């Protein structure tokens, strides 16, 4: 059984026991988080009806808060001496999927 969930504007394929990194969620380590489902596949049964999926939640436990890799942003304009360098590290939350509600 697996589900497609939406987290932070992205879609992830998850199953029970998976650990994935999503955009930062302001929740303490060890607490529980609910993720909204887009699609649930249980064996041969595929559930994609939005009315049914509104009642199905994916439960996850926060494992850790981390930062992603450094992204370097360079701005340059020719012949003017304009140069700017900036760095950014996106903050992530690692979550472990604990359960997926069934559609039945």
């Amino acid at each position: 059984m697996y589900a497609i969930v939406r987290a932070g504007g992205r879609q992830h394929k998850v199953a029970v026991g998976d650990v994935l990194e999503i955009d930062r969620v302001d929740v303490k380590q060890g607490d529980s988080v609910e993720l909204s489902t887009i699609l649930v596949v249980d064996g041969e049964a595929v559930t994609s009806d939005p009315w049914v999926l509104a009642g199905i939640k994916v439960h996850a436990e926060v494992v850790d808060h981390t930062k992603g890799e450094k992204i370097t942003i360079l701005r340059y304009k020719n012949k003017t001496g304009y140069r700017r360098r900036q760095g950014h590290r996106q903050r992530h939350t690692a979550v472990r999927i604990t359960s997926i509600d069934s559609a039945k």
Side-chain angles (χ1 to χ4, degrees), residues 28-39:
K28 292 182 182 177
Q29 188 173 347
D31 287 350
S32 181
V33 176
E34 286 187 354
L35 303 173
S36 62
T37 56
I38 299 172
L39 181 81

Side-chain angles (χ1 to χ4, degrees), residues 8-44:
R10 295 181 184 88
Q11 297 176 3
H12 303 278
K13 178 182 174 182
V14 297
V16 175
D18 287 352
V19 176
L20 74 142
E21 285 192 348
I22 60 175
D23 286 346
R24 174 78 180 214
V25 179
D26 198 20
V27 177
K28 292 182 182 177
Q29 188 173 347
D31 287 350
S32 181
V33 176
E34 286 187 354
L35 303 173
S36 62
T37 56
I38 299 172
L39 181 81
V40 174
V41 178
D42 185 12
E44 295 296 318

Side-chain angles (χ1 to χ4, degrees), residues 10-100:
R10 295 181 184 88
Q11 297 176 3
H12 303 278
K13 178 182 174 182
V14 297
V16 175
D18 287 352
V19 176
L20 74 142
E21 285 192 348
I22 60 175
D23 286 346
R24 174 78 180 214
V25 179
D26 198 20
V27 177
K28 292 182 182 177
Q29 188 173 347
D31 287 350
S32 181
V33 176
E34 286 187 354
L35 303 173
S36 62
T37 56
I38 299 172
L39 181 81
V40 174
V41 178
D42 185 12
E44 295 296 318
V46 177
T47 305
S48 62
D49 184 22
W51 299 106
V52 176
L53 291 174
I56 299 174
K57 296 291 181 191
V58 174
H59 302 281
E61 175 189 356
V62 174
V63 177
D64 193 17
H65 296 290
T66 60
K67 284 188 176 181
E69 291 195 18
K70 180 109 176 190
I71 298 171
T72 305
I73 301 128
L74 298 172
R75 296 190 193 118
Y76 171 78
K77 294 199 180 200
N78 196 13
K79 301 177 187 169
T80 61
Y82 177 81
R83 294 183 176 102
R84 296 289 181 268
R85 184 158 89 184
Q86 180 181 3
H88 175 73
R89 291 183 72 187
Q90 184 68 36
R91 300 186 319 171
H92 297 291
T93 299
V95 295
R96 178 178 291 117
I97 306 301
T98 55
S99 68
I100 300 174

